[in-house]
Amino acid sequence: MTTVRPTRIEILLRRAQPGKNSGVQAHIRRGQRIARAIEEHWGIREPYQWRAKHLQWFLKAKTAELSPASRYDYWRTAGVLAAALGHWPDWEPHLRGPWTRPKPPGPRPGAPGGRPRKLARSRSA
């Protein structure tokens, strides 16, 4: 029987991310995709050698075609990775962008349509 060794990302995220196993597994899957893309583009295998520019590049270039909610999930995983590496306070300003908040569903506030406003009732009735 062969055992599969966990990747550095998996070890890093398991230690750093408390919570339900499904949430941790989702962070691990996204973290492995981030690591693979950084390794292919920059040639850096170890997450301890990453800089803010590597995660910023991933968030700009590799998540551009994803939905706002998926971009937000990758930003959250990048934040967990930065915190696990001990760089979150320094890297956080560099990782801000349009991916930090998923857009709310539905029409913009003030757009026509939607539920009508409540009508004021007179008390003298």
Side-chain angles (χ1 to χ4, degrees):
M1 183 169 129
T2 61
T3 58
V4 178
R5 288 185 57 199
T7 63
R8 296 268 179 159
I9 294 293
E10 186 175 352
I11 293 169
L12 195 63
L13 287 173
R14 254 193 217 290
R15 265 192 239 143
Q17 185 63 25
K20 291 185 176 182
N21 192 39
S22 61
V24 173
Q25 287 299 319
H27 275 299
I28 289 171
R29 283 191 302 273
R30 286 189 297 266
Q32 288 172 338
R33 287 184 206 118
I34 291 170
R36 201 170 325 134
I38 289 174
E39 183 179 351
E40 288 172 5
H41 188 265
W42 298 92
I44 299 172
R45 294 187 66 155
E46 293 295 321
Y48 294 99
Q49 296 175 339
W50 291 354
R51 299 289 174 253
K53 70 178 183 179
H54 301 123
L55 290 174
Q56 185 182 44
W57 165 81
F58 179 85
L59 291 170
K60 281 183 182 177
K62 293 295 187 177
T63 65
E65 299 299 319
L66 299 177
S67 71
S70 294
R71 293 182 88 187
Y72 177 70
D73 289 339
Y74 275 101
W75 176 72
R76 286 180 45 233
T77 299
V80 172
L81 285 166
L85 294 170
H87 297 297
W88 178 246
D90 299 327
W91 290 7
E92 191 265 336
H94 302 289
L95 298 180
R96 289 187 193 144
W99 47 79
T100 57
R101 286 204 176 120
K103 292 182 180 167
R108 295 184 316 267
R115 182 176 175 191
R117 294 183 179 190
K118 291 186 178 181
L119 300 174
R121 295 184 185 173
S122 64
R123 292 184 172 241
S124 62

